[in-house]
Amino acid sequence: MDIRSLSSSHRHPQDAPYVHKVGLPPKQKLFSEFKATVKETFFADDPLRPFKDQPRSKMFILGLQAIFPIFEWGRSYNLAKFRGDLIAGLTIASLCIPQDIGYAKLANLDPQYGLYSSFVPPLIYAFMGSSRDIAIGPVAVVSLLLGTLLQNEINDPVGNAAEYRRLAFTATFFAGITQVTLGFFRLGFLIDFLSHAAIVGFMGGAGITIALQQLKGFLGIKKFTKKTDIVSVMHSVFASAHHGWNWQTIVIGVSFLSFLLVAKYIGKKNKRFFWVPAIGPLISVILSTFFVYITRADKQGVQIVKHIDQGINPSSVDQIYFNGHYLLKGVRIGIVAGMVALTEAIAIGRTFAAMKDYQLDGNKEMVALGTMNIVGSMTSCYVATGSFSRSAVNYMAGCQTAVSNIVMAIVVFLTLKFLTPLFKYTPNAILAAIIISAVIGLIDFDAAYLIWKIDKFDFVACMGAFFGVVFVSVEIGLLIAVSISFAKILLQVTRPRTAILGNLPRTTVYRNILQYPEAAKVPGVLIVVLLAWGRHLNPRLVEFVCLKRSEFRKKLRFPAAALLRLKMRFSCRILRWLIDEEELVNKSGQTKIQFLIVELSPVTDIDTSGIHAMEELFRSLQKREIQLILANPGPAVIDKLHASGSAQMIGEDKIFLTVADAVASCCPKSVGEV
């Protein structure tokens, strides 16, 4: 950008340094400025660039590839890639089938609906998704969240099964609509507002809550509380200890949970045996089902699955509520479930994209995930998203493209078509053991400890979300996570940190005197820097959680800096510092403070509140006979200072390019001495 100076630079006398004046950017027309702002906010990646100067036929092909990436990478697909995808697809299928049956129970749905959700959605995603590694299907946290929110509206999922299913499909439909809307209008940045610390706490609390819910099947309890808080669950468990526990069920559950944990340990210790924990759940289901069948343990009180409908997904278009009493409830539940599902999927996709060094378009991912959930809601599926455990197995098994999802979907199709009767004698205890072993990874002590070391306020947010989920409910925990995240953002924006700067010896560099004790204050001058930011060094939301709970913990990616906005409510703080400095001056007999220099280089934008605060500070300093001086304001800041008349009020000759220039204009002799 061309810069025109406020006034021509000039040479001071020979003994004075050359001082550059702050440049004022050229004026832009209102429409041009609005267009540039919209482009920077929503189209920073310039998604239409490939279409420029292309014939219509080429533009059509590029548009088709943008919507369906499979037509782009499919041209280079070969047998070697298929071999990797086939092995990976079969591996994740062996993991997903038993998990899906268990996750459906978390959502208070019949087992087949979990399998349905691993058939249609992965097929849609394979054509529209841009991630090569993500594995699609039901996940524990979303299943629990959906089941809890649905049960709040329909208390008896068994007695009112038809209405419950219809509301589940309606919520899934609107979850998809939410995801597509965010992607189409490029509003994906909204999911980054959730603090990663709050998500760590929420996921950990959800993991404990899910594990506690499995005690019903793990211990063979028939009458169990519908509440999810730890107090109610433990009361229900111990109240039934004398007459409700089944020792055969406990033996099955403990035995196979131990087997699954050992399998996970083997896979973690030696990456070559990644397939051991992947096939562990399927082996557990086969062995436990065979054991129950030959011993007829179901007649001894061991609860079993009993029946899974055979056949592929039936249509559910006519079951979605598009009007009536449950419509708004479905919309509300769908938005919440869709946002949580989207958060996890995008984080997982970015994690593995970074590992394989390819780009992932978050907005395209949202459209793909939303479309698969919209179609899924019409084919008897509930909310599906990216599963971290399956995606990690998919990655370790050597997947090359999204074809691994197609392979998995085909295996699930064959299971639905021919194998579901074989699950009749599968004990509920083994499903509980599979879910417990899967959700243990959600509880990440290392991540919580790291948060404690880095930021105590983040740790409070983490613990608030954690205890909200564990001791109250999932939705309260989520509400706490969202509330604390927004509170922290507002606090950081409206209460920016400030610091006093001093001169490093034998340089013209000015730094924080707390960080550099050797930095010397300039006599008669107080130099303050405004450290304003939106979110400081904040990893992308659940990506931090996912990375920290796997062997990929060391690979963190930080987002581009958020827009820095100035909410300069720091007059009182600066005046307090001035009072402290004046007290020191009076005691030591040093030069009285005559100049206040505000370093604005960290501030990239300013609003009307900031302008008013600046003017208020200027008037307060005038009463104290102290001159306000600004150093290094950015183009947006200096432009708005001039547009508001604040630059003229402060004085254009009191605005400098660097702190050193500002100090030199105030007290050149002192600068030389420092």
Side-chain angles (χ1 to χ4, degrees), residues 2 4 15 121 127 145 202 267 295 341 345 358 407 414 462 512 562 564:
D2 293 333
R4 57 184 176 86
D15 59 340
F127 282 84
L145 178 63
F202 174 75
T295 62
Y358 65 88
V407 174
L414 295 174
C462 177
N512 189 336
L564 306 179

Side-chain angles (χ1 to χ4, degrees), residues 206-252:
I208 290 178
T209 300
I210 292 168
L212 289 174
Q213 290 293 304
Q214 302 315 302
L215 292 177
K216 176 184 178 182
F218 196 80
L219 301 175
I221 301 173
K222 295 182 179 180
K223 293 183 179 180
F224 200 72
T225 180
K226 295 180 180 179
K227 297 181 180 179
T228 60
D229 63 281
I230 188 171
V231 176
S232 299
V233 170
M234 296 311 296
H235 179 269
S236 181
V237 168
F238 290 114
S240 58
H242 297 293
H243 57 82
W245 293 14
N246 181 274
W247 71 267
Q248 294 98 328
T249 301
I250 296 174
V251 169
I252 294 172

Side-chain angles (χ1 to χ4, degrees), residues 92-113:
I92 59 176
S94 67
L95 177 63
C96 86
I97 291 171
Q99 281 187 348
D100 290 346
I101 296 172
Y103 291 159
K105 288 184 174 292
L106 274 179
N108 300 313
L109 293 167
D110 293 332
Q112 64 267 19
Y113 292 101

Side-chain angles (χ1 to χ4, degrees), residues 398-510:
C399 72
Q400 299 296 315
T401 67
V403 170
S404 60
N405 275 291
I406 298 177
V407 174
M408 178 189 72
I410 292 172
V411 175
V412 172
F413 163 77
L414 295 174
T415 302
L416 283 167
K417 197 70 176 173
F418 305 108
L419 303 180
T420 51
L422 299 179
F423 293 99
K424 177 180 179 179
Y425 290 99
T426 299
N428 289 339
I430 193 61
L431 301 178
I434 290 171
I435 293 176
I436 291 172
S437 68
V439 300
I440 284 176
L442 296 177
I443 308 165
D444 196 336
F445 296 102
D446 292 338
Y449 179 65
L450 181 63
I451 292 169
W452 166 259
K453 290 198 300 182
I454 294 175
D455 192 322
K456 301 301 185 290
F457 187 90
D458 267 355
F459 185 76
V460 171
C462 177
M463 291 296 100
F466 175 81
F467 288 119
V469 174
V470 172
F471 286 98
V472 187
S473 64
V474 176
E475 59 267 34
I476 293 299
L478 183 61
L479 179 62
I480 292 174
V482 172
S483 300
I484 293 177
S485 298
F486 275 95
K488 182 178 180 182
I489 293 169
L490 291 174
L491 184 64
Q492 290 175 343
V493 172
T494 59
R495 293 291 186 271
R497 295 184 183 181
T498 51
I500 296 178
L501 302 184
N503 177 249
L504 294 178
R506 297 179 297 280
T507 71
T508 58
V509 177
Y510 292 80

Side-chain angles (χ1 to χ4, degrees), residues 1 9 26 68 89 104 118 144 167 182 213 225 366 381 490 492 503 518 540-541 551 615 663 670:
M1 182 186 297
S9 300
F68 302 102
S118 279
L144 175 67
L167 187 57
L182 290 175
Q213 290 293 304
T225 180
M366 294 176 197
C381 305
L490 291 174
Q492 290 175 343
N503 177 249
E518 69 274 18
R540 287 188 182 274
L541 160 90
E551 62 269 29
E615 294 173 351
V663 173
S670 296

